[in-house]
Amino acid sequence: MFCYSNIAKGNITAKDTLATDFDNLPPGLDLRPWLLSIEDMEGQVTLQQVPTLNFSHNVSLFHDSKKNNGKGHDCWLRLSVKNTGSEDSVVTLFAGWHDHMYWYVQEGRQLQLLVQTGMMHDREDIRRWEHYAFPVKVPPGQTRTFYLHINNQFFNENPLMPVLYDAMQYNNFRNATLAHFRKEAAMIFMLLGMLLVCLTIAIINYIQLPDRSYLYFAAYMLGLILFFALRLDSKPYQLSIFYNWPMLKYYWDVPALLFCFYLMYLAFGKSFLNLQERYPFMERLFNIFASCIGGIIIICFYCIARGLYQVPGMIYSYVYLATLLPLLAVFAALAKRSRHHPLVRFFLFGSLCFYMASFGSFLMLIRPLGLISALGELSAPSLLIIIGVLMQSMFFLAGLSYRNKLVHHERTRTQELLIKQLNKNKELQHKLNEQLEELVKEQTTEILRKKQELEEQRKIHLETEYNKKLTEIELKAIRAQINPHFIFNCLNSIQLFVMQRDYEYAQKYLSDFSYLIRKTLDFSRRNFISLADEIAYLNTYLGLEKMRFENKMEYELAVDPLIATAELEIPAMLLQPYVENAVKYGMTNSRDHIGQLLIQFNQVEPDMLECLIEDNGIGINRSKSMRTLPKHHQSSGMEISSNRAELLNKMYNTGIHIDIIDKSEKNSVESGTIVRILIPQL
């Protein structure tokens, strides 16, 4: 009886040991009743300690759908199996797809590693999915103990439901899983194709019309393409081009959502709607929020690098919930302005499509998963999310096309206006030439008439009066020569801008030029003008020259604060030729890429005004040596102004004195010219 009781006791199978015939395995055997488990919350359990630990039944550990643990999950499962069959056969244990999985068999008091796999380190293309089926090999009549170590670092844990299959059953399960996920992969591939088309259109349009809106939209599309392409890497039995970088799908999960749906969305909206000019307050809000999102993305990358995968998910959940109402407020504010700004409609409709799709997907997840798990699944590309992304992309792309059309119409209208303005300028030029010719004829006739009168009244008038009248008439004739010379130079500048198709600068140049023409005609009738008028005239002229040189020159007009510019008078058009000469030769210095021009007005004495015109050009001596005109050429404006000064001195006894100094004569290192003009106050 003692021997019989010992034999009977040895044949009794423990309650936590699965005793089954491997040749007649039930289909899809649920292993939860025979699995014992422990959870390693601190991650401190060593391989040597595992066989000595107390395992227990924990039904809450298992789940047949995704579960948001809020943090990483590390657990050990122990399975004791007895083969009651007569043949040595192998069955397969499948527990799901997890980040890190280690399959051990107990040999004595040691654990031997049989399989090591996981979604965070598998790099063997599509065959990596076969690693998740663990072999359970037990000789007939024997019992073996196996251990499965599962370490999920990501806060969203895939289904954990251990099942035992034979070869045929596992093959059927594999085919069913492949068919299920193939539908999701086909949907993602369709989305990737459409996003790629949108990206291509954006790049082509940017080449045709360089606009930041296209760059932001292209970056948005590129981020979405990478995000959805990485979703394939977590679909069982679906080929992904990123299988060599398994960690990339974790790095570009939550950061991708923040980058695409917040950062690039804000940047695109700011540029597309031109918020800086139309809605500056909203533009400031967009900038502040975009800066915050940029900082959050950096924090997410840091947390992922440190292995804190649950933190970015929590951050995104808070950001998503915190922005629901502010986004509605922004949409409402934009809706009020959509009547006056047609581009707002495209942006508003696209934003609302994705907003409603995202919120609808979130509501649909709450019921089966609960609020916490639903927040964790916000990054999952559901059908509603895909439809929302496509609708948003289509509206944004349509808005960009409409914006391109508006820009094209605006350019066409601007060109038409410029052509009309150029035609008017030609007419104005023709009229000015006729007026100048008539003026020269009138002045010539007047000179001849005055000469004749002076000859007839030579005996009546004093010689001094005769010289004064003659000098005044000659002064008017010289001033009539200055006007065509200046107008010719300005018209050449306008023609240069038109030939370069710089219509914006051409239009501004024409406006300033018309001001100069009016002032020139006005000054030509007057011998003296106020210093304030002369400064305004020179400032406008130098502004035109700066535009013509494409901002490669800088100028400054400095006036002594003691000078009453509105009361002090100087000869009209006396300084302009020297300033023009300084601009001409001051921009050709090879050592200085930017020409510098300084004009100073100083009160050197109570009745003496000093005007200094200083440039950093090649200098007066070098400019003379570089001239290619014949020696008898006498069209220089400086020579005309010098003659005017002499005539004014004779007529009004003013004592105007002009000095031209080459800076290289004093210092060989410096170059340029200084024109010093002393004008006594009348």
Side-chain angles (χ1 to χ4, degrees):
M1 289 179 65
F2 175 77
C3 293
Y4 176 78
S5 62
N6 285 339
I7 294 174
K9 187 176 181 181
N11 290 331
I12 294 175
T13 304
K15 292 182 180 180
D16 57 351
T17 301
L18 171 63
T20 183
D21 185 357
F22 280 24
D23 295 329
N24 299 293
L25 190 68
L29 181 60
D30 187 355
L31 295 179
R32 286 180 292 177
W34 296 278
L35 278 174
L36 301 178
S37 63
I38 60 170
E39 293 185 86
D40 186 8
M41 299 296 184
E42 304 296 333
Q44 298 179 353
V45 176
T46 62
L47 195 62
Q48 292 76 17
Q49 294 174 339
V50 172
T52 63
L53 296 176
N54 294 323
F55 285 75
S56 61
H57 284 284
N58 185 4
V59 180
S60 63
L61 188 69
F62 306 104
H63 48 92
D64 57 359
S65 61
K66 275 196 173 183
K67 181 181 179 182
N68 189 330
N69 294 319
K71 58 182 180 179
H73 187 209
D74 194 341
C75 66
W76 288 80
L77 303 178
R78 187 178 73 185
L79 175 64
S80 298
V81 181
K82 180 179 181 181
N83 187 359
T84 61
S86 59
E87 295 184 4
D88 188 3
S89 58
V90 179
V91 293
T92 301
L93 183 143
F94 179 80
W97 295 279
H98 303 281
D99 295 342
H100 298 281
M101 304 180 74
Y102 307 91
W103 180 243
Y104 300 94
V105 63
Q106 185 173 353
E107 299 289 346
R109 298 188 63 83
Q110 300 294 326
L111 299 184
Q112 180 182 354
L113 180 64
L114 298 178
V115 178
Q116 176 181 349
T117 186
M119 295 182 66
M120 283 192 176
H121 60 247
D122 263 339
R123 301 182 180 181
E124 297 187 16
D125 60 71
I126 196 170
R127 290 172 296 179
R128 70 188 189 278
W129 298 111
E130 309 296 346
H131 301 168
Y132 296 86
F134 303 113
V136 180
K137 185 176 181 180
V138 181
Q142 294 188 17
T143 302
R144 282 191 174 179
T145 301
F146 298 90
Y147 291 87
L148 178 60
H149 182 199
I150 299 177
N151 182 9
N152 281 314
Q153 298 180 3
F154 202 57
F155 61 94
N156 271 355
E157 187 176 65
N158 283 326
L160 178 56
M161 189 62 61
V163 181
L164 199 63
Y165 298 102
D166 60 19
M168 182 177 295
Q169 294 168 0
Y170 179 73
N171 187 57
N172 294 334
F173 166 76
R174 180 187 180 280
N175 293 336
T177 304
L178 174 62
H180 171 73
F181 285 103
R182 184 175 291 168
K183 297 177 182 178
E184 295 185 9
M187 185 171 58
I188 293 177
F189 276 121
M190 180 194 68
L191 175 64
L192 290 176
M194 300 188 73
L195 293 178
L196 188 60
V197 170
C198 294
L199 175 63
T200 306
I201 294 174
I203 293 175
I204 293 174
N205 287 337
Y206 178 76
I207 295 174
Q208 295 177 350
L209 178 65
D211 189 350
R212 286 187 179 181
S213 301
Y214 288 110
L215 283 181
Y216 294 137
F217 182 76
Y220 177 47
M221 291 295 102
L222 194 60
L224 286 177
I225 289 172
L226 181 60
F227 173 75
F228 285 106
L230 286 170
R231 296 305 94 194
L232 293 172
D233 197 50
S234 57
K235 303 295 181 185
Y237 307 109
Q238 306 303 318
L239 182 61
S240 170
I241 60 175
F242 300 104
Y243 65 87
N244 277 324
W245 304 280
M247 289 296 297
L248 189 59
K249 60 179 173 289
Y250 297 98
Y251 275 97
W252 197 242
D253 184 42
V254 171
L257 301 177
L258 294 171
F259 175 80
C260 296
F261 299 132
Y262 288 95
L263 186 61
M264 285 300 101
Y265 171 78
L266 293 172
F268 171 78
K270 184 178 69 172
S271 177
F272 178 71
L273 300 177
N274 198 10
L275 296 181
Q276 187 175 4
E277 296 182 2
R278 296 181 180 273
Y279 318 118
F281 176 74
M282 189 176 294
E283 189 259 349
R284 288 194 293 271
L285 291 180
F286 274 40
N287 286 336
I288 294 172
F289 191 61
S291 301
C292 296
I293 293 297
I296 291 174
I297 292 175
I298 295 175
I299 294 173
C300 289
F301 278 128
Y302 174 78
C303 293
I304 294 172
R306 294 293 302 271
L308 304 174
Y309 299 96
Q310 70 278 8
V311 176
M314 295 170 59
I315 291 175
Y316 179 73
S317 301
Y318 294 141
V319 171
Y320 178 79
L321 293 176
T323 55
L324 286 176
L325 292 179
L327 281 176
L328 278 178
V330 171
F331 295 157
L334 290 176
K336 294 181 180 179
R337 296 166 172 82
S338 61
R339 182 180 304 175
H340 307 289
H341 193 358
L343 292 179
V344 172
R345 301 173 188 172
F346 292 97
F347 183 78
L348 188 60
F349 289 154
S351 301
L352 283 174
C353 285
F354 179 76
Y355 179 90
M356 295 173 64
S358 174
F359 189 67
S361 177
F362 173 63
L363 293 179
M364 291 174 64
L365 291 172
I366 288 180
R367 184 172 183 180
L369 301 180
L371 178 62
I372 302 301
S373 297
L375 288 173
E377 285 295 301
L378 284 175
S379 62
S382 63
L383 181 60
L384 269 179
I385 294 292
I386 291 176
I387 294 174
V389 168
L390 285 177
M391 293 295 292
Q392 185 186 57
S393 302
M394 294 301 176
F395 275 112
F396 284 177
L397 194 59
L400 287 172
S401 300
Y402 185 75
R403 177 188 175 95
N404 198 355
K405 180 182 177 181
L406 292 178
V407 171
H408 177 71
H409 287 332
E410 183 66 22
R411 283 188 172 183
T412 303
R413 191 175 67 85
T414 303
Q415 290 176 359
E416 292 175 354
L417 292 176
L418 285 175
I419 292 172
K420 291 180 181 179
Q421 188 67 31
L422 286 175
N423 292 332
K424 291 182 180 179
N425 291 336
K426 288 182 180 180
E427 296 177 359
L428 178 61
Q429 180 182 1
H430 181 69
K431 291 180 180 179
L432 287 174
N433 289 335
E434 291 180 352
Q435 291 178 3
L436 290 174
E437 290 176 0
E438 292 177 359
L439 181 61
V440 171
K441 290 179 182 179
E442 290 176 1
Q443 295 294 338
T444 304
T445 304
E446 182 71 14
I447 290 173
L448 294 176
R449 188 179 64 81
K450 289 296 183 182
K451 282 185 177 181
Q452 187 176 2
E453 289 180 358
L454 290 172
E455 185 67 26
E456 292 176 353
Q457 298 178 3
R458 179 180 50 177
K459 296 179 182 180
I460 302 174
H461 295 84
L462 296 175
E463 184 178 358
T464 55
E465 186 70 16
Y466 165 81
N467 292 332
K468 182 177 180 180
K469 291 289 183 182
L470 180 62
T471 302
E472 183 177 1
I473 295 172
E474 290 176 351
L475 180 62
K476 292 182 179 180
I478 292 173
R479 198 159 57 239
Q481 297 176 19
I482 293 176
N483 297 336
H485 177 265
F486 174 71
I487 293 170
F488 178 78
N489 288 342
C490 289
L491 290 176
N492 281 343
S493 301
I494 296 172
Q495 185 178 11
L496 175 63
F497 279 113
V498 174
M499 291 176 64
Q500 293 177 347
R501 291 182 173 272
D502 197 345
Y503 300 120
E504 183 179 354
Y505 276 88
Q507 190 171 8
K508 186 177 186 306
Y509 205 107
L510 286 171
S511 176
D512 292 343
F513 173 65
S514 63
Y515 169 82
L516 281 181
I517 290 297
R518 291 195 302 271
K519 287 299 180 182
T520 302
L521 293 176
D522 181 32
F523 294 167
S524 66
R525 302 187 187 96
R526 298 157 58 184
N527 290 329
F528 293 89
I529 60 174
S530 67
L531 180 59
D533 290 340
E534 181 69 15
I535 292 173
Y537 183 89
L538 292 177
N539 198 16
T540 305
Y541 166 74
L542 290 174
L544 291 174
E545 291 291 3
K546 183 176 181 181
M547 290 171 61
R548 184 166 69 90
F549 281 99
E550 299 178 352
N551 296 325
K552 292 183 179 179
M553 66 166 283
E554 299 289 341
Y555 69 92
E556 179 183 359
L557 277 79
V559 183
D560 189 344
L562 298 177
I563 298 176
T565 57
E567 300 175 2
L568 192 147
E569 291 188 343
I570 63 173
M573 300 291 291
L574 178 65
L575 304 180
Q576 191 272 341
Y578 296 102
V579 175
E580 179 181 355
N581 193 71
V583 171
K584 179 178 180 181
Y585 293 102
M587 304 300 107
T588 57
N589 192 346
S590 59
R591 291 184 296 180
D592 294 326
H593 299 292
I594 298 178
Q596 301 287 341
L597 178 60
L598 174 62
I599 302 176
Q600 297 183 15
F601 295 94
N602 302 315
Q603 189 81 38
V604 293
E605 294 180 7
D607 60 345
M608 183 66 69
L609 174 69
E610 179 190 53
C611 176
L612 295 176
I613 303 172
E614 181 179 358
D615 63 79
N616 65 337
I618 58 176
I620 188 68
N621 296 331
R622 189 178 173 190
S623 65
K624 289 179 179 179
S625 64
M626 294 175 61
R627 288 181 182 170
T628 58
L629 295 175
K631 294 182 179 179
H632 57 80
H633 184 74
Q634 299 295 333
S635 62
S636 171
M638 292 175 58
E639 185 175 353
I640 294 174
S641 289
S642 179
N643 293 336
R644 286 189 61 211
E646 294 177 2
L647 293 174
L648 289 170
N649 289 337
K650 291 179 181 180
M651 187 167 61
Y652 296 99
N653 296 321
T654 54
I656 298 174
H657 183 71
I658 302 174
D659 289 331
I660 302 177
I661 306 168
D662 196 320
K663 294 163 67 175
S664 61
E665 295 178 356
K666 295 182 179 181
N667 189 349
S668 60
V669 178
E670 296 184 356
S671 63
T673 305
I674 300 176
V675 179
R676 184 170 181 262
I677 304 174
L678 296 175
I679 305 174
Q681 299 182 16
L682 299 178

